[in-house]
Amino acid sequence: MLALIPLFPLIGFLINGGWYAFGQAPAGRKKASAGVTGTIASLAILASFALSVSLFLKLHGMGDERVIEQTVMSWMQIENFKIDIAFRLDSLSALFILLITGVGSLIHIYSIGYMGHDETPGKFFAYLNLFCFAMLVLVLGSSLPMLFFGWEGVGLCSYLLIGYWYTDEEKASAGKKAFIVNRVGDLGFLLAMFFVVTYFGTLDFAALKAVVAQNGATVGVGVITTICLLFFVGCMGKSAQIPLYVWLPDAMAGPTPVSALIHAATMVTSGVYLVSRLNFMYSMAPTAMNVVAIVGAFTALFAATIAIAQRDIKKVLAYSTVSQLGYMFLACGVGAYTAGVFHVITHGFFKALMFLGAGSVIHGMHEEQDIMKMGGLRKDMPITFLVFGAGWLAICGIPPFSGFFSKDEILWMAFSSSHGSTALWFLGAVTAVMTAFYMTRLFSLTFFGKSRNHDVHAHESPLVMTIPLMVLALLSIFGGFMGVPHRSWIEHWLEPVIPGHAAAAAGAHGAPAVDASMEYILMGVSVAGAVLGIVFALGLYKNLARAEKLKQTFAPIHKLLENKWYVDELYEMVFIKPIRMLCNFLWKKFDVAVIDRVVLSFGHLSSWTGQTVRMVQTGSLQVYAVVLVIGLLASVGYLIYGLA
Amino acid sequence: MGWLNSHLLTAVIFLPFFWGLIGLLIPTSGKGGVGTLKIWTFLGGLITFVISCLLYTRFNALGDEFQLKEAATWIPALGVSYQLGMDGISLWLVILTTFLTPLVILGSFDAVKERVREYYFLLLVLETGMLGAFLALDVFLFYVFWEAMLIPMYFLIGIWGGKDRVYAAMKFFLYTVVGSLLMLVAIFYLAYQHKVQFGSFSTAIVDLYRLKIAGGDSYTSPQMWLFMAFALAFAIKVPLFPFHTWLPDAHVQAPTAGSVILAGVLLKLGGYGFIRFAFPLFPDAVMKIQHPFLVLGTIAIVYGAWVATVQPDIKKLVAYSSVSHMGYVMLGLFSLNTVGAMGSIYQMLNHGISTGALFLLVGVIYERRHTREISEFGGISKVMPLFAVAFLIITLSSVALPGTNGFVGEFLILLGAWKANPGLTAISATGVIFGAVYMLWMFQRVMFGPVKKEENKKLKDLNFREVAVLTPLVVASIVMGIVPNFFFSKMEPSVQKFLARAKATSPMETAVASVSTLQKGDR
């Protein structure tokens, strides 16, 4: 049963992919419509969703040891080293498959409308299904290699979908960049797996957990820290953390539904899944946790600063995703894995909503993505305006929208956990204010005021697009109630996989009594901060001339932010150019000029030595044979009589 | 049928040769003659493949080390015999050979228009040479096949190759021949040692495996010298850095079929030579030299990938990628554990499939455009969508994406090597990044972007024949990524036996003792 969940989208991929490759792509064949191909793909993922729900309910009724397993077959087996193609559903993966198949289904359906005018919808839906397959394998895989299978698989789909409109050089480059940067992370993942095999002898999660509990102390904190850090390098790639976040903003080259599904709601949260999955190891390595928390917090802040100065609606959302992912790692790093996963889910709702909303805007504005050229859309696109508003309030952290609960939980844990600190809380809180500011800027420039683009008559999107938006809006509004402080369903649900939320709280600084009041004080502070950010931005962008003036005052800073701190240029200068120069040098000045020359000079040496060899080089094989025999006899003679 | 049953290996080896001889009789001057010849040759390759599949069913993984053995005396005075046999390692390399050969024959149908008769004959002769080398259980017989193989390949490059074909053919030929001369000397020395220790000359490897040759922990022991003599020949063939410079020239100049066979099978003979001869015969030397060779493997992986990145010619790029991929093979072999060695052998099969396919794909666009310069292409996905699918899957196999064969090989190799030397493995593993860099960059420049060149706008997509050539390779690279156990199950016992020999190092005392008995015997 369990294996069917990833299998359905795989079948969808094979149908659409095979049909496209052999029936539609060859010259002269008619392309199938988005309606037909999209329905096939949507049915495939909907089937997965239905099954996921039923298995979730089954799991729900199972009591404390909630696990469903299925081994399909053995993948690799050599001596006692064994990897199975096997799946395991527990409370953590259950949440993820619901998110993936649920949000995934909505995005598939939405895409039927959005990709309506595309030239090759068959290919698009095939890739989208393939992505869901890989993503489901990632979260359901019962061992690290299975997770890695999905991990690289989603990377491939990301590559294919970013470069979906490959005739555009820039988009193709963005895909390649994503793949290669992810590969840098994957190197860390691979090495971490080798460490795990060496020290714990198993790659299966359940077995690993048992072995680590038993031998972890003997193996030592140093090794476990190394393993955790190496896995985190993988997360930096996949989940776009400093310093490997650079691919994600470029990934917006892909179709907008792809940005929503892959580059916001699901794939980029894989790193959070991995860290939560391995929480039993991270919890033994405080140094690694600190690194995770600090990198997360700085990424959150850093990406938020860039988001402030972007004009492309998708770029703003992309940097906001990087920033929100930073929050999730901040949570994991302070031991609040549950809060991290909670934020994955709420973020999945509201960010998918906002990306799809942005898609609706772009669709309605005839491919316009510059928010400076929008404005006043609340009248032309009322549904999009309303649902986007829900997402906006959610990400700003206004109660009772979903983002409020998860973000507040993270901030509180960053402050109160034994691994947390006031400084981490402060970084998070500042980011929250900035988030409220830049999201309000985006919202205001897009929907409020008057239209700044009179060439385009914006229109509301069709129902096939707006219905998924409405569903996501409802989820963004009410989704947070699964994690109400002190009555958190999600915390209780995840208990079998992520134990000891209580333990982490017990280590919090200060007495419990102080905690309770402190918690509400901080909650008030962060809400006030968010409101402040919103009000400031609303006021500022009401009058664009004044905003422009402010921009002029801070021109150098604005330029720095607009150009993303010049990180891409820095990488180009420090890594890409030198490596390319080195490669050229090695080829021309070493391979050809040194190694090959030495080889050839052996040849020239012999031709200089005598006529015989010169004749060999003209191709006379007989002469060569004579030389061979003479040399042979001499050598054999030497070996037999000489060595003795 | 009785004879065939007991001489199955001989049949597999020589069937292509005799088939080719008959093919020479087919008149090619008349109408349809060339077509008949092509079909005839293709059928020959196909039948050989079918028979080699019989070998799979006959081979019992849990049985003797070598199976389907055949033996006949040949040159008794020198102890040289005609001995054949197969284990779980040669089984798969034989099947790789017979799998690729009909595909390259089919792939050559349109490309080769001159001296058609000789061309197809040489392809079949080449197959006989390769199969013989994989199945020989006599080291001298192996040497004969090893050298015999060179001749058809020499002509294939020299006659049907590109602009600098003669230079490339000569370089390939001389480099390999000169490199194997010392091996021949070592073979004779071994035969002589057999006489000293057991009273008669012999070059049969089961006999030679019993030899006691002074080894121990030394860089100057007789074992080390002999190992080096073998290793030089094999390292050139692999090719291991820094003996690789013949490869880019040979690949670029060779016709498509030559490149496919060269990369797909000939290079594997280098790796196979280490497995069959160099490792089991000289275990002390292997143990001593393990880490230097791991270093060379690591250099090959990274260096090959780096140099591949900046190649302007697709074939050259693939050639350097071979250096990198074969570096993995060496890394896995010299890690001297089952996981590493299995990965290594698997990687040889993978490389045969994926690099073979890459050369065929390059051949497809070369036939249409008569250039291999990356900058001459761009946007090909748009005009050749089926080609794009095949190229993409093979590219992914080459960058070792999980789900393809490449991942299984690389993962096991790195895992095995990690046990032997974690530091070097960590460096080698950067190959996963650089592998993606050169492949995807090339893929982008050839396949993506707008179609800029006028000539590229009307390129025809794959025809039926080309689909038939590429499909088996594409399917194989995915199947091998999903069910590697199918291959491992026949392979593993043989690999363990091979490793048991390779690790049967003599303790210091016996080494010293054998030195003294050797010296007595010599006098």
Side-chain angles (χ1 to χ4, degrees), chain A residues 20-22 25-27 73-81 83 85 119 127 145 148-150 152-153 156 159-160 163 166-170 172-176 179-180 183-187 190-191 193-195 197-199 203 230 579-580 582-584 586-587 590-592 595-596 599-600 616-621 624 628 631-632 635-636 639-640 643-644, chain B residues 143 147 154 167 170-171 173-175 177 181 184-186 188-189 192 241-242 244-246 248-249 303 306-307 309-312 316 320 338-339 342-343 379 381-382 385-386 389 392 396 399-403 407-408 411-412 414-415 418 425-426 429-430 432-434 436-437 440-441 443-444 447-450 452 461 481-485 488 492 496 522-523:
Chain A
Y20 177 77
F22 296 103
M73 59 184 253
S74 164
W75 188 13
M76 300 177 213
Q77 185 168 12
I78 295 174
E79 289 177 332
N80 49 11
F81 177 76
I83 304 172
I85 295 188
E119 283 176 24
Y127 287 169
F148 192 67
F149 183 107
E152 289 259 289
L156 165 69
Y159 163 76
L160 293 171
Y166 59 82
T167 45
D168 183 338
E169 203 82 66
E170 204 174 305
S173 287
K176 182 190 63 187
F179 196 96
I180 289 170
R183 272 277 162 127
V184 176
D186 294 349
L187 174 64
L190 271 179
L191 296 182
M193 279 201 281
F194 299 151
F195 267 108
V197 175
T198 310
Y199 286 97
L203 290 165
L230 284 169
I579 287 180
R580 197 174 293 171
L582 176 70
C583 292
N584 262 311
L586 283 178
W587 171 38
F590 185 65
D591 208 62
V592 176
I595 301 183
D596 203 35
V599 171
L600 291 178
V616 171
Q617 286 202 319
T618 61
S620 165
L621 290 181
Y624 149 69
L628 190 154
L632 196 66
S635 312
V636 171
L639 271 178
I640 292 178
L643 275 185
Chain B
Y143 185 80
E147 298 281 300
Y154 169 80
Y167 165 78
M170 220 17 149
K171 191 172 179 179
F173 190 85
L174 283 181
Y175 208 151
V177 166
L181 274 181
L184 185 60
V185 175
F188 281 116
Y189 179 75
Y192 175 74
F241 176 90
H244 62 276
T245 52
W246 63 270
D249 287 319
Y303 178 87
W306 282 1
V307 177
T309 309
V310 288
Q311 295 304 316
K316 248 189 186 160
Y320 278 106
T338 315
V339 171
M342 293 282 279
S381 281
K382 196 90 190 166
L386 272 181
V389 173
L392 177 67
L396 297 175
V399 303
L401 195 86
F407 173 70
V408 179
F411 181 70
L412 294 176
L414 291 172
L415 190 58
W418 183 264
T425 309
T430 60
V432 306
I433 303 171
F434 298 116
V437 171
L440 293 186
W441 194 34
F443 192 82
Q444 182 188 345
M447 304 304 290
F448 294 159
K452 286 193 193 119
D461 203 357
I482 306 288
V483 286
N485 279 337
F488 290 170
E492 190 176 333
Q496 277 164 349
D522 280 5
R523 288 191 188 97

Side-chain angles (χ1 to χ4, degrees), chain B residues 218-406:
Chain B
S218 156
Y219 279 117
T220 52
S221 65
Q223 269 206 27
M224 189 59 83
W225 287 110
L226 292 164
F227 173 81
M228 285 303 188
F230 275 83
L232 179 67
F234 299 143
I236 290 173
K237 201 75 160 185
V238 163
L240 182 61
F241 176 90
F243 304 108
H244 62 276
T245 52
W246 63 270
L247 189 73
D249 287 319
H251 269 319
V252 168
Q253 298 304 326
T256 299
S259 295
V260 175
I261 295 290
L262 194 59
V265 186
L266 290 204
L267 305 190
K268 275 59 225 192
L269 273 155
Y272 177 75
F274 277 106
I275 294 170
R276 182 65 74 233
F277 305 106
F279 275 43
L281 286 172
F282 318 112
D284 288 0
V286 171
M287 200 56 98
K288 179 75 186 164
I289 203 101
Q290 179 190 13
H291 290 274
F293 267 83
L294 288 174
V295 170
L296 285 182
T298 303
I299 295 177
I301 293 170
V302 178
Y303 178 87
W306 282 1
V307 177
T309 309
V310 288
Q311 295 304 316
D313 178 306
I314 310 178
K315 262 195 165 181
K316 248 189 186 160
L317 186 148
V318 179
Y320 278 106
S321 87
S322 287
V323 174
S324 184
H325 284 166
M326 293 306 284
Y328 279 109
V329 172
M330 295 319 283
L331 191 75
L333 277 185
F334 277 90
S335 53
L336 297 180
N337 53 51
T338 315
V339 171
M342 293 282 279
S344 181
I345 295 161
Y346 208 60
Q347 180 75 353
M348 291 209 266
L349 304 177
N350 298 337
H351 181 257
I353 303 278
S354 61
T355 308
L358 275 177
F359 278 123
L360 283 164
L361 288 159
V362 177
V364 165
I365 47 176
Y366 181 77
E367 276 173 44
R368 285 160 173 71
R369 282 289 325 276
H370 297 285
T371 176
R372 286 179 301 256
E373 290 288 312
I374 294 174
S375 55
E376 283 290 315
F377 297 99
I380 302 298
S381 281
K382 196 90 190 166
V383 276
M384 300 175 70
L386 272 181
F387 175 81
V389 173
F391 197 10
L392 177 67
I393 296 176
I394 294 299
T395 299
L396 297 175
S397 153
S398 179
V399 303
L401 195 86
T404 66
N405 52 1

Side-chain angles (χ1 to χ4, degrees), chain B residues 434-461:
Chain B
F434 298 116
V437 171
Y438 66 77
M439 282 312 286
L440 293 186
W441 194 34
M442 182 266 279
F443 192 82
Q444 182 188 345
R445 284 176 293 165
V446 174
M447 304 304 290
F448 294 159
V451 191
K452 286 193 193 119
K453 304 254 172 197
E454 204 54 43
E455 308 90 296
N456 291 338
K457 284 188 179 152
K458 291 202 184 83
L459 291 183
K460 285 214 161 42
D461 203 357

Side-chain angles (χ1 to χ4, degrees), chain A residues 477-501:
Chain A
I477 296 169
F478 299 110
F481 288 100
M482 70 175 83
V484 176
H486 305 295
R487 282 178 193 76
S488 175
W489 171 82
I490 187 168
E491 196 179 308
H492 179 68
W493 170 254
L494 285 174
E495 187 72 27
V497 183
I498 302 169
H501 197 275

Side-chain angles (χ1 to χ4, degrees), chain B residues 133-155:
Chain B
F134 282 131
L135 292 171
L137 283 192
D138 181 289
V139 66
F140 188 81
L141 183 65
F142 168 79
Y143 185 80
V144 170
F145 279 120
W146 168 275
E147 298 281 300
M149 241 165 26
L150 292 180
I151 297 164
M153 187 48 98
Y154 169 80
F155 286 119

